[in-house]
Amino acid sequence: MLAIRLIERKRDGGRIDPGEWRALLGAYIAGHVPDYQMAAFLMAVFFRGLDREETSALTDAMLRSGGTLDLHGIPAPRIDKHSTGGVGDKVSLVLAPLVASMGIVVPMMSGRGLGHTGGTLDKLDAIPGFRSDLSLAAARDQLERIGCALLGQSGEIAPVDRKLYALRDATATVEAIPLIAASIMSKKLAEGLTGLVLDVKRGSGSFLQTLERGLELADVMISLGAARGCPVVALITAMDRPLGRACGNALEMEEAIHALRGEGPADLMEVTYALAAEMLMLGGLANDRGDAKAKLELAIASGQAAEKFQEIIEAQGGNPAVVDDPALLPQAEAIELYRAPRRGLVAQIEPRAVGRGITALGGGRTRMEDSVDPAVGFVITAKPGDWVEAGEAVATVFARDEAGLRAGAAALREAICIADEAEPPLPLISHRVTELGAESYDTE
Ligand code: URA
């Protein structure tokens, strides 16, 4: 039988040919290869790795398992952004309408939160009525009309990735660079893009915690894109603390709306502008970072970015009034300040503990089929390096009830470390990676 031979070969460090990848994935999606054999195969890949050619063949086999978004008739640059995931990462909600309002077509395909990380689709679900389950035909139509669609991975795009991802999640095989690269790039290449910007997170809250592994993932994805005519630029950004202040679906949506109206927290805006600038430069709409930043700031200040968000929400069945009045988003029943237990320096705000806290409040999922409470979460106003006095409010817990408030406070006690000394946090944006290699990112 094919599967057992491939498991044995990979277990012993051998290679899988392109035809074998296609046959294996085809048999898996058709139900002829059971999950237990695919799980054993994935574990063999986890330990033995894949070379670049195998990673490329796997990506193609995954891409060909479904349909693609044919956007070739749309003359504007078609550029997406993808983040490898984190806590408080609501960049997509700000960046997609922002760059779409400037003439880039953004077919943004996102996922749901799982484990400690949040997902853009769950944040969008916080908008009353919003639907992200667009068919490819509906997404194409919307992209032609208004230049942006915020969609989930329908069964039409790389369907084998959905099945494989759930299996990887249940078998501790997510954190393998070739599997992550093929999973992300098979979906992105199905979007018919002319460019892609990657936000590769590093630090304790990310999939790949070290800079070295982040750079390697970026390099693999850049090569996969380049070989298929899709230029890819990656920024390495920090996920050793949450991004922005809000963590939790409706709370993050509210923060994103404030950001689109020019009132976003500095770290969120810095990452959003940096990634958006790369999109504008890839699309030929800005000459350099300075030019891009000035144009982006103008798009926010003029209100055009917020208006574009309203247009997108309306097109996808949601209530666009949330942009003028975020109080229309789901609201938590129980709210309480969390105060610093002692004076000192905020040494750490551990993203995994914050993410697990959101799940404990009912706002995240441990299994894909779990439903989430959009209203719960945290707003953490303190940042690593801040000096705080005992009893000073450093965060707010948003919960369903008293028990939730207690669970939220316990999670924050674990997440927020106050000490006499603190290591400096990671630089917010440390590297820019292109086909030419990695360079350090100067934040002027
Ligand atoms: N995101 C994906 O889409 N796939 C992975 O494997 C990891 C993160």
Side-chain angles (χ1 to χ4, degrees):
M1 181 1 271
L2 166 81
I4 183 116
R5 274 196 291 110
L6 299 186
I7 297 167
E8 277 169 358
R9 196 181 323 140
K10 193 37 87 181
R11 180 199 64 194
D12 297 340
R15 296 187 73 257
I16 311 294
D17 295 334
E20 292 172 325
W21 283 114
R22 282 195 297 277
L24 178 66
L25 296 195
Y28 180 56
I29 199 103
H32 302 319
V33 171
D35 277 348
Y36 59 81
Q37 281 193 314
M38 191 49 99
F41 180 77
L42 291 170
M43 193 55 87
V45 170
F46 186 91
F47 283 113
R48 290 296 190 170
L50 301 181
D51 65 26
R52 294 293 177 111
E53 277 173 42
E54 288 179 291
T55 308
S56 176
L58 169 61
T59 307
D60 283 336
M62 290 172 77
L63 174 61
R64 286 189 197 142
S65 72
T68 54
L69 200 51
D70 181 8
L71 302 179
H72 287 95
I74 300 180
R78 305 180 298 272
I79 305 178
D80 191 6
K81 185 269 325 183
H82 183 85
S83 157
T84 55
V87 176
D89 181 2
K90 70 282 290 174
V91 168
S92 293
L93 303 173
V94 188
L95 173 142
L98 171 59
V99 298
S101 79
M102 300 171 72
I104 303 265
V105 168
V106 187
M108 186 169 276
M109 199 177 7
S110 307
R112 300 210 171 271
L114 191 62
H116 72 281
T117 62
T120 299
L121 291 188
D122 293 325
K123 297 167 202 182
L124 288 166
D125 278 353
I127 300 173
F130 192 92
R131 300 202 51 175
S132 52
D133 56 347
L134 303 182
S135 67
L136 290 185
R140 191 189 191 288
D141 176 61
Q142 185 171 318
L143 286 160
E144 225 168 359
R145 275 187 300 113
I146 63 171
C148 184
L150 302 174
L151 58 149
Q153 185 192 354
S154 75
E156 293 171 278
I157 283 197
V160 75
D161 174 65
R162 255 188 160 179
K163 208 173 159 191
L164 276 180
Y165 192 84
L167 189 62
R168 286 167 58 208
D169 191 52
T171 56
T173 50
V174 168
E175 292 90 348
I177 287 176
L179 296 180
I180 298 176
S183 164
I184 294 175
M185 292 305 289
S186 61
K187 290 174 285 193
K188 295 293 141 184
L189 291 164
E191 291 177 354
L193 301 174
T194 58
L196 173 66
V197 175
L198 296 170
D199 181 0
V200 178
K201 301 284 186 200
R202 69 154 160 153
S204 55
S206 62
F207 277 127
L208 302 177
Q209 304 199 1
T210 64
L211 174 60
E212 199 186 20
R213 303 252 299 149
L215 288 173
E216 190 185 335
L217 176 65
D219 188 51
V220 176
M221 292 197 285
I222 288 167
S223 307
L224 289 171
R228 290 157 187 81
C230 176
V232 181
V233 176
L235 298 183
I236 308 284
T237 72
M239 188 37 70
D240 57 340
R241 67 275 190 186
L243 186 62
R245 301 187 195 109
C247 303
N249 297 309
L251 296 166
E252 291 189 45
M253 177 54 74
E254 181 171 349
E255 187 166 272
I257 290 170
H258 286 303
L260 281 166
R261 298 201 314 213
E263 298 147 14
D267 59 345
L268 172 64
M269 294 322 293
E270 193 174 329
V271 174
T272 303
Y273 283 148
L275 293 163
E278 297 297 340
M279 292 171 83
L280 294 186
M281 290 189 286
L282 272 176
L285 298 189
N287 301 323
D288 54 37
R289 257 194 256 158
D291 179 32
K293 175 119 188 270
K295 287 175 171 155
L296 290 161
E297 283 175 339
L298 193 61
I300 296 241
S302 67
Q304 77 182 54
E307 267 169 41
K308 181 57 75 179
F309 197 32
Q310 284 182 314
E311 225 180 311
I312 299 163
I313 294 172
E314 193 158 21
Q316 295 189 220
N319 180 1
V322 294
V323 177
D324 292 324
D325 183 7
L328 294 170
L329 293 166
Q331 302 291 316
E333 295 287 322
I335 301 174
E336 195 169 86
L337 290 175
Y338 174 80
R339 298 180 183 280
R342 57 162 284 188
R343 77 194 300 250
L345 278 172
V346 177
Q348 202 178 25
I349 303 178
E350 179 48 57
R352 280 180 193 258
V354 174
R356 284 195 299 268
I358 297 171
T359 305
L361 291 173
R365 52 171 79 72
T366 49
R367 290 170 313 157
M368 219 50 203
E369 56 276 19
D370 294 346
S371 60
V372 299
D373 181 342
V376 300
F378 307 104
V379 171
I380 304 172
T381 41
K383 287 278 172 199
D386 286 356
W387 177 266
V388 293
E389 294 297 332
E392 186 179 328
V394 290
T396 309
V397 181
F398 295 79
R400 282 182 192 144
D401 50 26
E402 276 297 316
L405 290 179
R406 282 195 299 277
L412 291 181
R413 265 195 301 280
E414 190 193 334
I416 304 177
C417 168
I418 300 173
D420 295 329
E421 289 173 12
E423 294 277 312
L426 292 173
L428 189 56
I429 308 171
S430 66
H431 291 79
R432 178 175 187 268
V433 195
T434 65
E435 251 193 290
L436 303 176
E439 59 192 16
S440 57
Y441 190 92
D442 312 313
T443 37
E444 59 286 340

